[in-house]
Amino acid sequence: MHSYLRTRLSGGELSLKVSDTGINYYNVFIDSLLHKIVKVTGKDTLINFISGIDKGVHRVLIQKRTEGEWGKTTIHQFVLPAGGKLEKETDRPSRHIEFIGNSLTCGYGVEGKDRSEPYKAETENCNLSYATIIARYFDADYTLIAHSGRGVVRNYGDSVRVSAVTMKDRMLNTFDMDLDKKWDFKTYKPDLVVINLGSNDFSTEPHPYKSEFTKAYKQILAQLREHYGDIPILCIYPVAMQAPVFSYYEAIINEVNDPKVFLLKLDKNLYNRTTDLGAAWHPGYSGHKKMAMWIIPYISTIMGWDLTDRVIE
C-alpha cells in the first residue's frame, strides 16, 4: 500500500520524528512541486523534510514512494520552528479512485533507465505510475492497494497454482504485511475502483486453472460490492497476457452479470518493449503514461467525467 498526507505549512521548515521497520522513500511536494526525496529508516529518527522555503503558507504533500513490504513508517512527532504551524488542507478533490494492483500500480522500477537494470527501492515511485497519472488527470484523490508480484489467485514464481495469500486477501488489510489488522471500509467510499491484476498469475508455470482464477477474481468483486455497494468497477486486462486468458476475464464479466462491472483490454503493443521500459522489464514513466492515456477515455465514458486539456503527466 502507498500512503500520503496533505497539510498546510507555515514557518518555512518541517522535520518529522519517525521510526521505520525497514527503509522507505518519500516524495515531498510543496505547492505541487517536488521539493525533495527523503529516505526514512531507523528508530526515533529526526529527519528534515522541508527547509529553505519562505515562511508563508504552503500546501504540503508527503507521499510514500515505496510499497508496504519495504517497511512500515510510524510518525511520532511533527517538529516545527518557532511560530511555525500546520493547518488542515481544506482544498481536497471531490473525486476518489481506488486502484487494486501489483507492481505496475506500485510504480516498480519506473525510474530505472534500462530494462536490464535490476530493481532497487530507489527506482520505485508510485507518483509516476499509471494510477496516479490517471488520478491527477481527473483531479481525483486516490488509494493504491498494491503489492509487487501478487496476483488474483497465484503470486509470481510460486510453486503451486493457488497461492496462500494474494491480493484478494491483502485488499482487506489496514497494513499490507499485517494479515490481522483489517481495514474499516466505512472510512471512505471511492467513486470508482480500478483492478489491474492477472499478469503475475500467468507469468510463470504452473498457471492456475480457469475455474481457480475466475473464482478468486469474483471473490474480489464480491468483497468490493459488500463494502462499497453499487459503485463502478473497472477491470483491466494487462498488456502482453497470453491470448487464451482473455476468455477468463470475459467469463468473469458474464458470470457476475453486473452492469457496473466493466472490462478494458490493454493492447499487447501499447508500449515499446525497449524505450518505454524502466528497471527489471517493467514500464518506465513513458510506458505508464501510455497506459494512462489508454484508460482515461474509458473512465471518462463510464463515469461521465469530461475529458479536458489537462496534460497527462
Side-chain angles (χ1 to χ4, degrees):
M1 281 73 167
H2 297 262
S3 305
Y4 64 90
L5 64 86
R6 299 177 189 267
T7 187
R8 289 181 180 268
L9 168 72
S10 58
E13 289 189 30
L14 175 65
S15 295
L16 272 64
K17 188 176 183 182
V18 297
S19 295
D20 204 295
T21 59
I23 300 174
N24 279 286
Y25 292 86
Y26 284 80
N27 292 320
V28 181
F29 294 93
I30 306 295
D31 298 327
S32 300
L33 298 177
L34 183 64
H35 175 67
K36 66 163 62 171
I37 298 170
V38 176
K39 179 180 179 180
V40 175
T41 188
K43 185 178 180 181
D44 294 333
T45 308
L46 185 64
I47 301 175
N48 178 263
F49 276 65
I50 297 172
S51 61
I53 64 172
D54 67 74
K55 295 183 179 181
V57 179
H58 296 275
R59 291 178 293 111
V60 173
L61 172 65
I62 299 176
Q63 176 193 53
K64 190 171 185 284
R65 289 167 56 104
T66 39
E67 59 190 285
E69 67 177 320
W70 285 101
K72 181 172 65 176
T73 306
T74 301
I75 300 174
H76 302 291
Q77 184 180 4
F78 294 88
V79 180
L80 296 159
K85 187 165 61 172
L86 293 178
E87 299 176 351
K88 182 179 180 180
E89 173 59 88
T90 56
D91 186 21
R92 295 187 58 183
S94 60
R95 297 166 175 167
H96 192 138
I97 307 174
E98 178 172 292
F99 295 87
I100 300 175
N102 49 37
S103 55
L104 297 176
T105 305
C106 294
Y108 180 105
V110 66
E111 292 189 350
K113 304 303 181 186
D114 185 84
R115 66 189 188 184
S116 62
E117 177 185 321
Y119 165 79
K120 297 183 293 184
E122 293 91 329
T123 61
E124 183 167 277
N125 183 2
C126 68
N127 197 59
L128 300 183
S129 81
Y130 76 94
T132 48
I133 294 169
I134 290 170
R136 281 192 292 275
Y137 179 84
F138 286 113
D139 191 22
D141 214 344
Y142 64 85
T143 305
L144 307 183
I145 302 174
H147 189 122
S148 294
R150 296 307 184 263
V152 175
V153 67
R154 180 180 180 271
N155 299 325
Y156 177 81
D158 207 338
S159 60
V160 294
R161 294 193 319 273
V162 178
S163 299
V165 179
T166 65
M167 284 310 298
K168 75 178 188 304
D169 310 296
R170 291 184 181 277
M171 65 179 283
L172 304 175
N173 299 342
T174 298
F175 302 108
D176 179 51
M177 302 295 287
D178 188 338
L179 294 175
D180 296 324
K181 293 184 174 62
K182 298 304 179 184
W183 177 249
D184 179 5
F185 282 87
K186 296 178 181 177
T187 302
Y188 72 86
K189 180 179 177 179
D191 299 293
L192 167 70
V193 176
V194 178
I195 306 172
N196 190 355
L197 290 170
S199 52
N200 288 310
D201 296 79
F202 300 99
S203 56
T204 60
E205 298 280 358
H207 294 167
Y209 296 150
K210 179 178 180 179
S211 59
E212 294 165 336
F213 182 78
T214 56
K215 178 182 177 182
Y217 205 110
K218 287 190 291 184
Q219 182 179 335
I220 290 175
L221 295 174
Q223 288 169 178
L224 292 171
R225 279 285 170 260
E226 175 188 354
H227 294 296
Y228 292 148
D230 192 27
I231 66 168
I233 301 171
L234 175 57
C235 306
I236 301 295
Y237 181 79
V239 173
M241 291 268 279
Q242 294 89 339
V245 178
F246 186 61
S247 67
Y248 298 8
Y249 288 75
E250 291 180 309
I252 292 163
I253 298 301
N254 290 333
E255 289 169 20
V256 298
N257 192 27
D258 186 327
K260 289 194 175 182
V261 175
F262 304 91
L263 175 61
L264 176 61
K265 183 178 182 180
L266 302 187
D267 190 270
K268 65 179 181 179
N269 296 314
L270 178 58
Y271 48 75
N272 186 291
R273 294 308 168 124
T274 302
T275 58
D276 287 330
L277 294 186
W281 287 79
H282 278 66
Y285 182 39
S286 60
H288 277 277
K289 282 197 289 185
K290 289 179 179 180
M291 280 194 285
M293 292 170 74
W294 189 279
I295 298 168
I296 282 170
Y298 201 82
I299 290 178
S300 172
T301 298
I302 65 176
M303 298 303 296
W305 295 346
D306 290 340
L307 296 178
T308 68
D309 58 1
R310 182 176 287 122
V311 176
I312 297 174
E313 61 183 1

mmCIF file with all atom_site columns, all heavy atoms in Angstrom, residues 197-211:
data_model
loop_
_atom_site.group_PDB
_atom_site.id
_atom_site.type_symbol
_atom_site.label_atom_id
_atom_site.label_alt_id
_atom_site.label_comp_id
_atom_site.label_asym_id
_atom_site.label_entity_id
_atom_site.label_seq_id
_atom_site.pdbx_PDB_ins_code
_atom_site.Cartn_x
_atom_site.Cartn_y
_atom_site.Cartn_z
_atom_site.occupancy
_atom_site.B_iso_or_equiv
_atom_site.pdbx_formal_charge
_atom_site.auth_seq_id
_atom_site.auth_comp_id
_atom_site.auth_asym_id
_atom_site.auth_atom_id
_atom_site.pdbx_PDB_model_num
ATOM 1   N N   . LEU A 1 197 ? -4.967  -6.626  -12.255 1.00 0.00 ? 197 LEU A N   1
ATOM 2   C CA  . LEU A 1 197 ? -4.346  -7.841  -11.738 1.00 0.00 ? 197 LEU A CA  1
ATOM 3   C C   . LEU A 1 197 ? -4.403  -8.944  -12.787 1.00 0.00 ? 197 LEU A C   1
ATOM 4   O O   . LEU A 1 197 ? -5.237  -8.918  -13.684 1.00 0.00 ? 197 LEU A O   1
ATOM 5   C CB  . LEU A 1 197 ? -5.076  -8.321  -10.475 1.00 0.00 ? 197 LEU A CB  1
ATOM 6   C CG  . LEU A 1 197 ? -4.926  -7.488  -9.200  1.00 0.00 ? 197 LEU A CG  1
ATOM 7   C CD1 . LEU A 1 197 ? -5.905  -7.974  -8.145  1.00 0.00 ? 197 LEU A CD1 1
ATOM 8   C CD2 . LEU A 1 197 ? -3.491  -7.573  -8.682  1.00 0.00 ? 197 LEU A CD2 1
ATOM 9   N N   . GLY A 1 198 ? -3.533  -9.926  -12.635 1.00 0.00 ? 198 GLY A N   1
ATOM 10  C CA  . GLY A 1 198 ? -3.550  -11.102 -13.501 1.00 0.00 ? 198 GLY A CA  1
ATOM 11  C C   . GLY A 1 198 ? -2.222  -11.432 -14.141 1.00 0.00 ? 198 GLY A C   1
ATOM 12  O O   . GLY A 1 198 ? -1.946  -12.594 -14.441 1.00 0.00 ? 198 GLY A O   1
ATOM 13  N N   . SER A 1 199 ? -1.369  -10.436 -14.349 1.00 0.00 ? 199 SER A N   1
ATOM 14  C CA  . SER A 1 199 ? -0.101  -10.703 -15.041 1.00 0.00 ? 199 SER A CA  1
ATOM 15  C C   . SER A 1 199 ? 0.798   -11.629 -14.222 1.00 0.00 ? 199 SER A C   1
ATOM 16  O O   . SER A 1 199 ? 1.528   -12.454 -14.783 1.00 0.00 ? 199 SER A O   1
ATOM 17  C CB  . SER A 1 199 ? 0.621   -9.394  -15.363 1.00 0.00 ? 199 SER A CB  1
ATOM 18  O OG  . SER A 1 199 ? 0.748   -8.583  -14.218 1.00 0.00 ? 199 SER A OG  1
ATOM 19  N N   . ASN A 1 200 ? 0.767   -11.521 -12.892 1.00 0.00 ? 200 ASN A N   1
ATOM 20  C CA  . ASN A 1 200 ? 1.593   -12.406 -12.065 1.00 0.00 ? 200 ASN A CA  1
ATOM 21  C C   . ASN A 1 200 ? 1.037   -13.827 -12.020 1.00 0.00 ? 200 ASN A C   1
ATOM 22  O O   . ASN A 1 200 ? 1.794   -14.786 -11.890 1.00 0.00 ? 200 ASN A O   1
ATOM 23  C CB  . ASN A 1 200 ? 1.708   -11.857 -10.642 1.00 0.00 ? 200 ASN A CB  1
ATOM 24  C CG  . ASN A 1 200 ? 2.578   -10.628 -10.576 1.00 0.00 ? 200 ASN A CG  1
ATOM 25  O OD1 . ASN A 1 200 ? 3.692   -10.610 -11.080 1.00 0.00 ? 200 ASN A OD1 1
ATOM 26  N ND2 . ASN A 1 200 ? 2.073   -9.568  -9.969  1.00 0.00 ? 200 ASN A ND2 1
ATOM 27  N N   . ASP A 1 201 ? -0.271  -13.958 -12.128 1.00 0.00 ? 201 ASP A N   1
ATOM 28  C CA  . ASP A 1 201 ? -0.894  -15.283 -12.095 1.00 0.00 ? 201 ASP A CA  1
ATOM 29  C C   . ASP A 1 201 ? -0.394  -16.176 -13.221 1.00 0.00 ? 201 ASP A C   1
ATOM 30  O O   . ASP A 1 201 ? -0.234  -17.391 -13.046 1.00 0.00 ? 201 ASP A O   1
ATOM 31  C CB  . ASP A 1 201 ? -2.419  -15.148 -12.209 1.00 0.00 ? 201 ASP A CB  1
ATOM 32  C CG  . ASP A 1 201 ? -3.044  -14.417 -11.035 1.00 0.00 ? 201 ASP A CG  1
ATOM 33  O OD1 . ASP A 1 201 ? -2.978  -13.170 -11.009 1.00 0.00 ? 201 ASP A OD1 1
ATOM 34  O OD2 . ASP A 1 201 ? -3.591  -15.086 -10.150 1.00 0.00 ? 201 ASP A OD2 1
ATOM 35  N N   . PHE A 1 202 ? -0.133  -15.546 -14.389 1.00 0.00 ? 202 PHE A N   1
ATOM 36  C CA  . PHE A 1 202 ? 0.174   -16.330 -15.579 1.00 0.00 ? 202 PHE A CA  1
ATOM 37  C C   . PHE A 1 202 ? 1.583   -16.072 -16.126 1.00 0.00 ? 202 PHE A C   1
ATOM 38  O O   . PHE A 1 202 ? 1.890   -16.473 -17.252 1.00 0.00 ? 202 PHE A O   1
ATOM 39  C CB  . PHE A 1 202 ? -0.873  -16.039 -16.662 1.00 0.00 ? 202 PHE A CB  1
ATOM 40  C CG  . PHE A 1 202 ? -2.263  -16.390 -16.231 1.00 0.00 ? 202 PHE A CG  1
ATOM 41  C CD1 . PHE A 1 202 ? -3.126  -15.403 -15.766 1.00 0.00 ? 202 PHE A CD1 1
ATOM 42  C CD2 . PHE A 1 202 ? -2.708  -17.700 -16.260 1.00 0.00 ? 202 PHE A CD2 1
ATOM 43  C CE1 . PHE A 1 202 ? -4.414  -15.714 -15.351 1.00 0.00 ? 202 PHE A CE1 1
ATOM 44  C CE2 . PHE A 1 202 ? -3.989  -18.026 -15.840 1.00 0.00 ? 202 PHE A CE2 1
ATOM 45  C CZ  . PHE A 1 202 ? -4.846  -17.038 -15.382 1.00 0.00 ? 202 PHE A CZ  1
ATOM 46  N N   . SER A 1 203 ? 2.441   -15.430 -15.339 1.00 0.00 ? 203 SER A N   1
ATOM 47  C CA  . SER A 1 203 ? 3.773   -15.079 -15.841 1.00 0.00 ? 203 SER A CA  1
ATOM 48  C C   . SER A 1 203 ? 4.711   -16.280 -15.830 1.00 0.00 ? 203 SER A C   1
ATOM 49  O O   . SER A 1 203 ? 5.609   -16.381 -16.658 1.00 0.00 ? 203 SER A O   1
ATOM 50  C CB  . SER A 1 203 ? 4.355   -13.942 -15.013 1.00 0.00 ? 203 SER A CB  1
ATOM 51  O OG  . SER A 1 203 ? 4.374   -14.298 -13.641 1.00 0.00 ? 203 SER A OG  1
ATOM 52  N N   . THR A 1 204 ? 4.557   -17.182 -14.886 1.00 0.00 ? 204 THR A N   1
ATOM 53  C CA  . THR A 1 204 ? 5.396   -18.379 -14.806 1.00 0.00 ? 204 THR A CA  1
ATOM 54  C C   . THR A 1 204 ? 4.503   -19.592 -14.546 1.00 0.00 ? 204 THR A C   1
ATOM 55  O O   . THR A 1 204 ? 3.376   -19.459 -14.085 1.00 0.00 ? 204 THR A O   1
ATOM 56  C CB  . THR A 1 204 ? 6.436   -18.256 -13.670 1.00 0.00 ? 204 THR A CB  1
ATOM 57  O OG1 . THR A 1 204 ? 5.756   -18.082 -12.413 1.00 0.00 ? 204 THR A OG1 1
ATOM 58  C CG2 . THR A 1 204 ? 7.377   -17.082 -13.890 1.00 0.00 ? 204 THR A CG2 1
ATOM 59  N N   . GLU A 1 205 ? 5.032   -20.770 -14.832 1.00 0.00 ? 205 GLU A N   1
ATOM 60  C CA  . GLU A 1 205 ? 4.294   -22.008 -14.551 1.00 0.00 ? 205 GLU A CA  1
ATOM 61  C C   . GLU A 1 205 ? 4.400   -22.356 -13.063 1.00 0.00 ? 205 GLU A C   1
ATOM 62  O O   . GLU A 1 205 ? 5.388   -21.993 -12.424 1.00 0.00 ? 205 GLU A O   1
ATOM 63  C CB  . GLU A 1 205 ? 4.886   -23.152 -15.386 1.00 0.00 ? 205 GLU A CB  1
ATOM 64  C CG  . GLU A 1 205 ? 4.785   -22.935 -16.880 1.00 0.00 ? 205 GLU A CG  1
ATOM 65  C CD  . GLU A 1 205 ? 3.409   -23.251 -17.451 1.00 0.00 ? 205 GLU A CD  1
ATOM 66  O OE1 . GLU A 1 205 ? 2.544   -23.678 -16.651 1.00 0.00 ? 205 GLU A OE1 1
ATOM 67  O OE2 . GLU A 1 205 ? 3.224   -23.061 -18.651 1.00 0.00 ? 205 GLU A OE2 1
ATOM 68  N N   . PRO A 1 206 ? 3.429   -23.062 -12.503 1.00 0.00 ? 206 PRO A N   1
ATOM 69  C CA  . PRO A 1 206 ? 2.209   -23.572 -13.124 1.00 0.00 ? 206 PRO A CA  1
ATOM 70  C C   . PRO A 1 206 ? 1.110   -22.513 -13.139 1.00 0.00 ? 206 PRO A C   1
ATOM 71  O O   . PRO A 1 206 ? 0.915   -21.791 -12.161 1.00 0.00 ? 206 PRO A O   1
ATOM 72  C CB  . PRO A 1 206 ? 1.818   -24.738 -12.209 1.00 0.00 ? 206 PRO A CB  1
ATOM 73  C CG  . PRO A 1 206 ? 2.312   -24.325 -10.856 1.00 0.00 ? 206 PRO A CG  1
ATOM 74  C CD  . PRO A 1 206 ? 3.567   -23.542 -11.099 1.00 0.00 ? 206 PRO A CD  1
ATOM 75  N N   . HIS A 1 207 ? 0.392   -22.397 -14.249 1.00 0.00 ? 207 HIS A N   1
ATOM 76  C CA  . HIS A 1 207 ? -0.697  -21.440 -14.341 1.00 0.00 ? 207 HIS A CA  1
ATOM 77  C C   . HIS A 1 207 ? -1.930  -21.965 -13.603 1.00 0.00 ? 207 HIS A C   1
ATOM 78  O O   . HIS A 1 207 ? -2.209  -23.163 -13.646 1.00 0.00 ? 207 HIS A O   1
ATOM 79  C CB  . HIS A 1 207 ? -1.066  -21.195 -15.809 1.00 0.00 ? 207 HIS A CB  1
ATOM 80  C CG  . HIS A 1 207 ? 0.019   -20.512 -16.579 1.00 0.00 ? 207 HIS A CG  1
ATOM 81  N ND1 . HIS A 1 207 ? 0.009   -20.432 -17.962 1.00 0.00 ? 207 HIS A ND1 1
ATOM 82  C CD2 . HIS A 1 207 ? 1.147   -19.880 -16.184 1.00 0.00 ? 207 HIS A CD2 1
ATOM 83  C CE1 . HIS A 1 207 ? 1.077   -19.779 -18.375 1.00 0.00 ? 207 HIS A CE1 1
ATOM 84  N NE2 . HIS A 1 207 ? 1.791   -19.440 -17.314 1.00 0.00 ? 207 HIS A NE2 1
ATOM 85  N N   . PRO A 1 208 ? -2.674  -21.090 -12.964 1.00 0.00 ? 208 PRO A N   1
ATOM 86  C CA  . PRO A 1 208 ? -3.920  -21.538 -12.336 1.00 0.00 ? 208 PRO A CA  1
ATOM 87  C C   . PRO A 1 208 ? -4.933  -21.965 -13.390 1.00 0.00 ? 208 PRO A C   1
ATOM 88  O O   . PRO A 1 208 ? -4.907  -21.498 -14.531 1.00 0.00 ? 208 PRO A O   1
ATOM 89  C CB  . PRO A 1 208 ? -4.400  -20.297 -11.579 1.00 0.00 ? 208 PRO A CB  1
ATOM 90  C CG  . PRO A 1 208 ? -3.767  -19.145 -12.281 1.00 0.00 ? 208 PRO A CG  1
ATOM 91  C CD  . PRO A 1 208 ? -2.449  -19.647 -12.779 1.00 0.00 ? 208 PRO A CD  1
ATOM 92  N N   . TYR A 1 209 ? -5.818  -22.871 -12.996 1.00 0.00 ? 209 TYR A N   1
ATOM 93  C CA  . TYR A 1 209 ? -6.904  -23.260 -13.885 1.00 0.00 ? 209 TYR A CA  1
ATOM 94  C C   . TYR A 1 209 ? -7.879  -22.098 -14.038 1.00 0.00 ? 209 TYR A C   1
ATOM 95  O O   . TYR A 1 209 ? -7.973  -21.228 -13.171 1.00 0.00 ? 209 TYR A O   1
ATOM 96  C CB  . TYR A 1 209 ? -7.645  -24.472 -13.333 1.00 0.00 ? 209 TYR A CB  1
ATOM 97  C CG  . TYR A 1 209 ? -6.819  -25.734 -13.228 1.00 0.00 ? 209 TYR A CG  1
ATOM 98  C CD1 . TYR A 1 209 ? -7.084  -26.674 -12.241 1.00 0.00 ? 209 TYR A CD1 1
ATOM 99  C CD2 . TYR A 1 209 ? -5.770  -26.002 -14.118 1.00 0.00 ? 209 TYR A CD2 1
ATOM 100 C CE1 . TYR A 1 209 ? -6.340  -27.842 -12.132 1.00 0.00 ? 209 TYR A CE1 1
ATOM 101 C CE2 . TYR A 1 209 ? -5.019  -27.158 -14.020 1.00 0.00 ? 209 TYR A CE2 1
ATOM 102 C CZ  . TYR A 1 209 ? -5.310  -28.071 -13.016 1.00 0.00 ? 209 TYR A CZ  1
ATOM 103 O OH  . TYR A 1 209 ? -4.564  -29.222 -12.913 1.00 0.00 ? 209 TYR A OH  1
ATOM 104 N N   . LYS A 1 210 ? -8.609  -22.142 -15.130 1.00 0.00 ? 210 LYS A N   1
ATOM 105 C CA  . LYS A 1 210 ? -9.609  -21.097 -15.367 1.00 0.00 ? 210 LYS A CA  1
ATOM 106 C C   . LYS A 1 210 ? -10.585 -21.005 -14.203 1.00 0.00 ? 210 LYS A C   1
ATOM 107 O O   . LYS A 1 210 ? -10.911 -19.906 -13.745 1.00 0.00 ? 210 LYS A O   1
ATOM 108 C CB  . LYS A 1 210 ? -10.363 -21.380 -16.664 1.00 0.00 ? 210 LYS A CB  1
ATOM 109 C CG  . LYS A 1 210 ? -11.441 -20.352 -16.995 1.00 0.00 ? 210 LYS A CG  1
ATOM 110 C CD  . LYS A 1 210 ? -12.124 -20.675 -18.314 1.00 0.00 ? 210 LYS A CD  1
ATOM 111 C CE  . LYS A 1 210 ? -13.205 -19.648 -18.642 1.00 0.00 ? 210 LYS A CE  1
ATOM 112 N NZ  . LYS A 1 210 ? -13.855 -19.944 -19.949 1.00 0.00 ? 210 LYS A NZ  1
ATOM 113 N N   . SER A 1 211 ? -11.041 -22.152 -13.699 1.00 0.00 ? 211 SER A N   1
ATOM 114 C CA  . SER A 1 211 ? -12.009 -22.157 -12.597 1.00 0.00 ? 211 SER A CA  1
ATOM 115 C C   . SER A 1 211 ? -11.433 -21.536 -11.337 1.00 0.00 ? 211 SER A C   1
ATOM 116 O O   . SER A 1 211 ? -12.137 -20.838 -10.587 1.00 0.00 ? 211 SER A O   1
ATOM 117 C CB  . SER A 1 211 ? -12.468 -23.585 -12.300 1.00 0.00 ? 211 SER A CB  1
ATOM 118 O OG  . SER A 1 211 ? -11.362 -24.417 -11.958 1.00 0.00 ? 211 SER A OG  1
#
